[in-house]
Coordinates of all heavy atoms in Angstrom, one line a residue:
A371 N -33.2 13.6 -4.0 CA -32.5 13.8 -5.3 C -32.8 15.2 -5.8 O -31.9 15.9 -6.4 CB -32.9 12.7 -6.3
L379 N -23.7 21.5 -5.7 CA -22.7 20.8 -6.5 C -21.5 21.6 -6.9 O -20.6 21.1 -7.6 CB -23.4 20.4 -7.9 CG -24.6 19.4 -7.7 CD1 -25.4 19.4 -9.0 CD2 -24.1 18.0 -7.3
S412 N -24.1 21.4 -13.3 CA -25.2 20.4 -13.7 C -25.0 19.2 -12.9 O -23.8 18.7 -12.6 CB -25.1 20.1 -15.2 OG -25.3 21.3 -15.9
A413 N -26.1 18.6 -12.5 CA -26.0 17.3 -11.8 C -25.6 16.2 -12.8 O -26.0 16.2 -13.9 CB -27.3 17.0 -11.1
P414 N -24.9 15.2 -12.4 CA -24.6 14.0 -13.3 C -25.9 13.3 -13.6 O -26.9 13.4 -12.9 CB -23.7 13.2 -12.4 CG -23.9 13.5 -11.0 CD -24.3 15.0 -11.0
A415 N -25.9 12.6 -14.7 CA -27.0 11.8 -15.1 C -27.5 10.9 -14.0 O -28.7 10.7 -13.8 CB -26.7 11.1 -16.4
Q416 N -26.6 10.3 -13.4 CA -26.9 9.4 -12.2 C -26.2 9.9 -11.0 O -25.0 10.1 -10.9 CB -26.4 8.0 -12.5 CG -27.0 7.3 -13.7 CD -28.5 7.0 -13.5 OE1 -28.9 6.7 -12.4 NE2 -29.3 7.0 -14.6
L417 N -27.1 10.2 -10.0 CA -26.5 10.8 -8.7 C -25.5 9.8 -8.1 O -24.7 10.2 -7.3 CB -27.6 11.1 -7.8 CG -28.4 12.4 -8.1 CD1 -29.5 12.6 -7.1 CD2 -27.6 13.6 -8.4
S418 N -25.6 8.5 -8.4 CA -24.7 7.5 -7.8 C -23.3 7.8 -8.2 O -22.3 7.4 -7.5 CB -25.1 6.1 -8.3 OG -25.0 6.0 -9.7
Q419 N -23.1 8.6 -9.3 CA -21.7 9.0 -9.7 C -21.1 9.9 -8.6 O -19.9 9.9 -8.5 CB -21.8 9.7 -11.1 CG -22.2 8.8 -12.2 CD -22.3 9.6 -13.5 OE1 -21.6 10.5 -13.8 NE2 -23.2 9.1 -14.4
L420 N -21.9 10.7 -8.0 CA -21.4 11.5 -6.9 C -20.9 10.6 -5.8 O -19.9 11.0 -5.1 CB -22.5 12.4 -6.4 CG -23.0 13.5 -7.3 CD1 -24.2 14.2 -6.8 CD2 -21.9 14.5 -7.7

Side-chain angles (χ1 to χ4, degrees):
L379 296 167
S412 300
Q416 298 293 329
L417 290 182
S418 60
Q419 295 177 31
L420 295 172

